[in-house]
Amino acid sequence: YKCDVPGVRWHPVGGWRVQFDRRNYEHNFFVKCSCYFRVQLYGFDRAKELAIAYRRRLEAEWEEQQQIWARLENEREVARIQRREAKERARLAAEYEDETGESLWG
């Protein structure tokens, strides 16, 4: 039997097999799934539909996780830049105070 969806194939045990394997070493996040949707339980067509739907769900959840990581990385980068700018302002204020003896802050 054939299925056009990558990661979904017929298995000789009598069911549709869903395979999903993704790795993200940077975030130490690994997903490995091998699920069977047995014809004996669901019937041939329903088992295939469930397998395809589950595979698509896994792909959608992985994509959602990628977007979350991208958003978090952007937020961290903005916070890092703000901390760097605050340190630079404090350094410049300290230099001004050392040179003139006056406090820049009043």
Side-chain angles (χ1 to χ4, degrees), residues 44-104:
F44 185 85
D45 292 330
R46 182 72 178 139
K48 186 175 181 181
E49 290 171 6
L50 288 171
I52 291 171
Y54 191 64
R55 171 64 189 212
R56 291 191 174 141
R57 176 181 170 186
L58 289 170
E59 290 172 352
E61 288 178 359
W62 180 260
E63 183 58 37
E64 180 183 6
Q65 189 62 46
Q66 297 282 67
Q67 292 171 0
I68 289 169
W69 286 327
R71 181 177 48 81
L72 289 173
E73 288 170 5
N74 287 338
E75 290 172 0
R76 283 188 203 115
E77 183 66 18
V78 167
R80 186 184 66 78
I81 290 171
Q82 289 173 346
R83 284 192 307 271
R84 180 184 286 171
E85 290 172 351
K87 280 184 182 179
E88 181 64 19
R89 283 193 301 271
R91 186 187 64 78
L92 291 174
E95 283 180 7
Y96 178 80
E97 192 172 329
D98 289 343
E99 290 175 4
T100 63
E102 299 178 9
S103 174
L104 189 62

